[in-house]
Amino acid sequence: MQMTSAPHLLAEDGPEYERILGDALRHAHERPDLEGVGDRLNTEQLRTMALSATALITAAAATEYEHYVEARDELRRASTAAEAADGLPAVDGPQSTAAGAGAGIGAVVTVLTPLLAGTAAVIFLLVGYLLKAVSPSVAFGDSMVAAGWFFAAVAAAAILVAAVGLLVTALRNGTTSLAAEDEEQELPEEVARAREAWRHALLERGILPFLRDALADPTAGPAARTPHRSPHRIPKVGYSRPDFSGPDGPAAGPRPTFTSPDFTSPDFGGPEHRPD
């Protein structure tokens, strides 16, 4: 199973994460807190679960990883600047482009030559032997057979050249890998310390707590297994929801009362005031 990509883990560091995880699972029997390996969950199940929770596990060592990446990038920038100062050609310069184009044409020729030569050999041999069987006196059949064997020899030679090319490429890649390993072992002290700090934090605060939680409760989902976070991390800012009082909340204050205005009706006198 391939490792799921984590937003804070570069692709070049994915194999290192898988290697640390593999070492932890291989030596799980040496840790008393992982004694349940093989009883509740086997190593392959734990590996699958840990690879699926890569983002969660690697977040526990995010601070150390950021420091390691910064130190490594600084080293690479310094190496690039030194090569540019020495006048070395850039890797992606015109010479590299021309070499890549030549290698691409050579690969196409190496692949197509055995295929085309083998097809021609089969056709010429088949037609030539059929002509010889039908009309033995016709000389054209012998020519076709000779051409067929010629193309068969070309196909065999092309296959041999392709095999030698593959062997040379494999040896060259092996030498490059060994050189890369030697370069990694000769890292400056600051980068080496940062890498070792990230590996230690990833194992102790990420992988091992996840494995312990998985063995304690195999049915829990990955989100329920939260490894210990790195120290000195910025706390997540939270916002509290405002409190709203429901219908049964505190009684409102007394409402203002309004008195209606008093109106007096006009005074009317008795009959003596009536006009005549």
Side-chain angles (χ1 to χ4, degrees):
M1 178 178 178
Q2 297 295 329
M3 184 191 65
T4 56
S5 59
H8 42 264
L9 186 66
L10 299 178
E12 61 180 300
D13 297 319
E16 182 66 16
Y17 168 77
E18 295 183 5
R19 187 190 67 81
I20 298 174
L21 174 62
D23 290 342
L25 292 175
R26 279 192 298 271
H27 299 284
H29 62 280
E30 301 175 2
R31 295 179 175 270
D33 51 348
L34 298 180
E35 59 183 5
V37 176
D39 298 334
R40 302 168 185 170
L41 295 172
N42 56 35
T43 56
E44 190 59 32
Q45 290 173 327
L46 290 172
R47 182 189 303 273
T48 302
M49 295 168 64
L51 293 178
S52 300
T54 300
L56 178 66
I57 295 175
T58 54
T63 302
E64 290 79 5
Y65 181 67
E66 291 173 2
H67 179 63
Y68 167 52
V69 171
E70 290 177 0
R72 184 175 60 187
D73 291 343
E74 184 65 25
L75 174 63
R76 291 176 178 175
R77 285 193 295 267
S79 300
T80 304
E83 291 177 359
D86 294 339
L88 297 178
V91 177
D92 54 351
Q95 297 179 356
S96 177
T97 304
I105 295 175
V108 172
V109 172
T110 303
V111 172
L112 290 181
T113 299
L115 180 62
L116 296 178
T119 303
V122 172
I123 294 175
F124 278 103
L125 288 175
L126 182 61
V127 174
Y129 280 115
L130 285 176
L131 289 177
K132 290 181 65 176
V134 174
S135 302
S137 59
V138 178
F140 184 69
D142 295 332
S143 301
M144 297 287 289
V145 171
W149 284 115
F150 170 76
F151 281 110
V154 171
I159 292 174
L160 179 61
V161 171
V164 173
L166 290 176
L167 179 61
V168 172
T169 303
L171 293 176
R172 185 181 305 166
N173 291 339
T175 304
T176 305
S177 300
L178 292 177
E181 291 179 359
D182 294 340
E183 181 181 359
E184 182 180 359
Q185 293 176 357
E186 297 176 358
L187 288 176
E189 184 178 358
E190 181 181 359
V191 181
R193 285 201 308 264
R195 183 183 62 182
E196 188 61 29
W198 170 61
R199 291 175 175 176
H200 179 76
L202 181 62
L203 178 64
E204 296 297 333
R205 295 203 306 266
I207 294 177
L208 293 180
F210 181 87
L211 297 179
R212 285 194 295 265
D213 293 343
L215 292 173
D217 188 5
T219 61
R225 308 183 185 98
T226 305
H228 300 285
R229 298 290 180 180
S230 301
H232 310 297
R233 295 182 61 87
I234 299 175
K236 184 177 179 181
V237 179
Y239 298 92
S240 60
R241 183 178 300 176
D243 296 331
F244 297 96
S245 58
D248 298 333
R255 298 178 58 184
T257 57
F258 298 93
T259 57
S260 59
D262 295 332
F263 295 96
T264 58
S265 58
D267 295 333
F268 295 97
E272 61 276 5
H273 294 286
R274 293 181 180 176
D276 294 336

